[in-house]
Amino acid sequence: MIKINNISKSYHKTEALKNISLKVNRGELFGLIGPDGAGKTTLMRILTTLLLPNSGEAIMDKLDIVKDFKKIRHIVGYMPGRFSLYQDLTVEENLQFFATVFGTTVKENYELIRDIYYQIEPFKTRRAGKLSGGMKQKLALSCALIHKPKILILDEPTTGVDAVSRKEFWEMLKKLQKKDITILVSTPYMDEAILCDRVALMQNGEILDVDSPSKITKKFPRKIIQVRSENMFQLINDLRQYTKAESVFAFGQYAHFTGINDDVEPSELDLYLQKLGHKKVFVEKITPGIEDVFMELMKTS
Amino acid sequence: MLIAQIKKMEKIITVKNLVKKFGYFKANDNLTFDVYKGEIFGFLGANGAGKTTTIRILCGLSSPTSGDLKVAGFDIYKETEKIKHNIGYMSQKFSLYEDLTVSENIQLYAGIYGISRKRRKEKEAELLKKLELEDAKNKLIGGLPLGWKQKLAFSVAIFHDPKIVFLDEPTGGVDPITRRKFWDLIYEAANRGITVFVTTHYMDEAEYCNRVSIMDAGKIEALDTPAKLKEIYNAKNMDEVFLKIARK
């Protein structure tokens, strides 16, 4: 559905995208995962025909992003990272405006947005600028969907959004996917990667890896040991002092330990920490998560 | 740090029956809590729960409708200027001036916090050395890697040795390694006795706090150590605790 071939884009001397190639299949929920500055927004702006690449090409549903830009705008729904609806129009007016611009009506495509829009419908006479963060997000998504796009592109829809609203938003995306909409979504939250069918891990304008989340973590070659004790700060410091330690980072209630080689056994770390007086020590080998993989790829790229 | 140890320590923030109304809307609905010296205090809640309102009040930027509050030993109604001298503040959205150099940013903040010209020079040199930024001293902030900016922003926020530093979503959008290195700095500051008051949407970061408060609709629904909260809510991790509280 989306084919990206060798796209590069620079802003003055900064290379925002370095020779990116990627394919997104029809009906996929595809995630661009990476921190600020990875190039996610630039790639999305190129695909939505808002920005021209320096080189390379991209095809969206058989349409070329340069030659067929007008047609692409009709089949793509785009929700930019910054709230960009009309703050001084009401909820209802914003929706009507976007429907009219695309030559359709709210009524014609209401079915598609009903699940999302009904939650903000009680506030339809309120100005968009006066909505809460969660409501703005729902309105923006409704507006991006009102012309029944084949491809939906969402730039960091969950950034700065609390954990509950984030979960609800992903549930909405899953529902939309079932309606035959191909979804490309970016996020800096690594834990959201597992909610996608496939992801591209991005960093500094490059793609580190593309695959399904489960395959990405299976490919990870290193052994990770997770460790817990009563004092996290001391635990991390002590683990870093261990002669066979390569990296030690906090992961929630645990610290993740990678050795200089994979010979390090949980039992020896346990012993080492007991000797140093750590209490309630718990050590076990685990399968890595996306964030472990990302951090490892960052180190080697 | 153990909860028993914290209990014995001095209170650095006391909040009693804090109410803040905007018209008829109660953004903060009778909040009561204490924060102890040297503690890392996680201040969590859904968007719109009232966190920013509380932080603005604690920083002396907004007055409560009612309630008794002390920050760093000073009264929130009468001594807001003294409070401002004793706190630091940093957020992901705004911390340093992009079009000033590293050195100019340090000098600017040192000046704002009233550090003498002579002392400023010494402290700047110390800081640049510690952060290994001596060579980047005359570079514009805008061009620095994110990790450096973060380190500098945090160091500037605690440049005047405040008693408390408020961190409002300091790690949003930051890569996973930089995010963790940032927490190393937070631990270091707390170990030096600076109280850290932090908000975040990353639930793994909630685990790094000594105590966590979770707000919902203007009220504090839970406040305890992460371990205790997980026990009370019968949850695997803080993410589950948060969902159980905010989704009920």
Side-chain angles (χ1 to χ4, degrees):
Chain A
M1 193 68 169
I2 305 175
K3 253 189 240 166
I4 301 164
N5 286 324
N6 306 106
I7 291 249
S8 291
K9 175 73 187 177
S10 298
Y11 302 105
H12 303 289
K13 278 179 194 163
T14 313
E15 285 181 273
L17 292 174
K18 303 169 190 166
N19 208 23
I20 296 276
S21 295
L22 194 65
K23 266 186 203 160
V24 178
N25 301 320
R26 183 172 168 174
E28 230 177 355
L29 176 52
F30 192 97
L32 297 176
I33 316 286
D36 292 356
K40 307 186 298 289
T41 300
T42 300
L43 184 59
M44 289 186 158
R45 291 177 63 86
I46 289 173
L47 295 178
T48 47
T49 76
L50 300 171
L51 203 60
L52 287 169
N54 295 119
S55 60
E57 48 172 35
I59 306 292
M60 302 271 282
D61 190 30
K62 301 187 186 91
L63 299 168
D64 182 273
I65 51 154
V66 181
K67 277 184 285 181
D68 306 315
F69 75 95
K70 278 191 180 162
K71 282 182 191 157
I72 285 183
R73 289 177 187 184
H74 279 275
I75 61 149
V76 173
Y78 175 48
M79 184 171 152
R82 191 177 291 177
F83 184 69
S84 47
L85 300 180
Y86 294 93
Q87 312 258 3
D88 47 0
L89 292 186
T90 64
V91 167
E92 202 174 22
E93 285 164 346
N94 265 293
L95 196 61
Q96 272 163 5
F97 173 81
F98 283 95
T100 312
V101 165
F102 285 107
T104 180
T105 59
V106 174
K107 209 174 144 198
E108 198 176 314
N109 294 319
Y110 188 76
E111 191 54 34
L112 188 63
I113 61 162
R114 196 180 52 198
D115 282 354
I116 304 156
Y117 189 65
Y118 92 94
Q119 301 175 56
I120 48 172
E121 215 162 13
F123 311 96
K124 65 184 180 188
T125 54
R126 193 181 287 188
R127 288 182 189 210
K130 300 274 180 206
L131 294 176
S132 73
M135 290 200 277
K136 275 182 185 168
Q137 198 193 32
K138 285 178 186 123
L139 178 59
L141 184 59
S142 300
C143 290
L145 285 167
I146 199 62
H147 59 298
K148 212 174 178 189
K150 290 182 181 171
I151 302 171
L152 184 61
I153 296 188
L154 309 160
D155 193 359
E156 296 203 14
T158 55
T159 292
V161 174
D162 68 72
V164 175
S165 309
R166 276 167 57 192
K167 286 224 163 63
E168 286 173 0
F169 195 82
W170 279 94
E171 283 161 16
M172 286 191 277
L173 292 189
K174 292 271 180 197
K175 279 191 194 160
L176 287 172
Q177 191 190 4
K178 291 201 183 97
K179 294 179 179 163
D180 194 26
I181 297 176
T182 305
I183 303 173
L184 181 68
V185 57
S186 67
T187 176
Y189 296 102
M190 304 280 148
D191 56 346
E192 293 182 343
I194 50 165
L195 302 167
C196 302
D197 298 322
R198 286 194 309 142
V199 294
L201 303 183
M202 290 183 76
Q203 164 87 354
N204 294 329
E206 286 173 308
I207 290 177
L208 306 173
D209 197 4
V210 182
D211 219 324
S212 69
S214 62
K215 278 187 188 146
I216 283 184
T217 50
K218 262 184 210 138
K219 271 190 272 183
F220 187 71
R222 305 296 306 276
K223 177 159 134 189
I224 290 187
I225 299 173
Q226 74 172 11
V227 190
R228 192 173 62 193
S229 91
E230 221 165 49
N231 186 335
M232 176 67 106
F233 180 58
Q234 196 59 42
L235 175 71
I236 289 177
N237 280 336
D238 287 342
L239 284 174
R240 283 184 183 151
Q241 297 297 320
Y242 190 60
T243 42
K244 285 192 259 174
E246 185 187 273
S247 71
V248 179
F249 286 110
F251 272 78
Q253 53 192 322
Y254 297 97
H256 285 191
F257 173 98
T258 328
I260 42 172
N261 55 43
D262 290 337
D263 295 342
V264 182
E265 289 300 324
S267 55
E268 64 177 281
L269 287 182
D270 196 353
L271 199 67
Y272 167 74
L273 291 168
Q274 302 275 7
K275 270 188 195 156
L276 287 170
H278 280 269
K279 294 206 176 83
K280 295 189 182 164
V281 179
F282 177 79
V283 190
E284 68 174 344
K285 197 186 152 218
I286 53 153
T287 25
I290 291 281
E291 203 156 2
D292 292 298
V293 178
F294 196 94
M295 287 164 72
E296 183 67 22
L297 291 169
M298 273 177 76
K299 282 190 263 170
T300 51
S301 73
Chain B
M1 198 177 319
L2 293 170
I3 188 81
Q5 288 172 322
I6 293 172
K7 280 269 155 67
K8 276 182 219 147
M9 294 186 332
E10 96 188 60
K11 289 173 187 172
I12 195 88
I13 299 175
T14 57
V15 177
K16 270 188 207 133
N17 307 113
L18 164 62
V19 174
K20 176 70 182 183
K21 286 191 206 165
F22 296 105
Y24 292 107
F25 178 68
K26 274 190 190 170
N28 284 173
D29 189 359
N30 208 23
L31 305 185
T32 297
F33 65 95
D34 297 318
V35 179
Y36 300 94
K37 188 169 184 288
E39 170 174 50
I40 302 175
F41 189 84
F43 197 61
L44 312 186
N47 299 112
K51 302 186 301 280
T52 305
T53 302
T54 313
I55 292 179
R56 287 179 55 83
I57 290 170
L58 294 177
C59 291
L61 299 172
S62 160
S63 265
T65 307
S66 63
D68 293 325
L69 290 90
K70 274 196 171 161
V71 175
F74 299 108
D75 183 87
I76 206 95
Y77 297 96
K78 294 179 211 139
E79 300 172 303
T80 51
E81 284 315 304
K82 282 183 185 156
I83 288 175
K84 286 177 196 166
H85 276 279
N86 283 283
I87 61 170
Y89 175 83
M90 173 198 165
S91 81
Q92 175 63 19
K93 285 179 208 115
F94 172 79
S95 38
L96 299 169
Y97 289 92
E98 298 266 305
D99 47 2
L100 294 184
T101 65
V102 170
S103 171
E104 285 165 343
N105 265 289
I106 296 175
Q107 291 297 324
L108 174 70
Y109 281 95
I112 288 172
Y113 284 115
I115 296 168
S116 74
R117 224 169 263 274
K118 187 174 156 253
R119 185 87 187 95
R120 246 182 262 175
K121 280 251 156 64
E122 288 166 19
K123 285 206 76 165
E124 183 189 344
E126 247 172 64
L127 181 62
L128 289 173
K129 195 172 170 213
K130 189 183 148 208
L131 298 179
E132 295 170 11
L133 280 174
E134 283 150 313
D135 295 337
K137 160 176 157 174
N138 295 318
K139 284 194 180 141
L140 294 182
I141 290 291
L144 294 183
L146 191 64
W148 295 16
K149 274 192 220 174
Q150 279 234 309
K151 269 206 294 197
L152 184 63
F154 183 68
S155 305
V156 165
I158 58 170
F159 195 59
H160 57 299
D161 294 315
K163 295 197 171 110
I164 308 160
V165 62
F166 290 89
L167 306 173
D168 196 1
E169 284 181 45
T171 55
V174 174
D175 74 67
I177 293 183
T178 308
R179 198 154 73 81
R180 285 173 175 79
K181 289 194 173 151
F182 191 76
W183 272 89
D184 288 347
L185 294 179
I186 292 181
Y187 275 124
E188 202 185 290
N191 247 28
R192 269 169 48 198
I194 297 177
T195 305
V196 180
F197 191 100
V198 59
T199 73
T200 179
H201 286 312
Y202 289 99
M203 286 305 123
D204 59 335
E205 293 184 348
E207 308 269 3
Y208 311 153
C209 301
N210 296 119
R211 288 189 308 149
V212 169
S213 107
I214 301 178
M215 267 183 95
D216 188 41
K219 293 187 170 140
I220 291 183
E221 292 292 336
L223 198 177
D224 219 312
T225 61
K228 193 79 193 171
L229 288 174
K230 281 179 274 184
E231 195 185 307
I232 295 169
Y233 289 91
N234 190 22
K236 285 203 299 292
N237 49 41
M238 283 305 291
D239 195 35
E240 267 187 37
V241 172
F242 188 84
L243 288 178
K244 282 189 176 164
I245 290 172
R247 219 177 202 179
K248 67 165 192 322

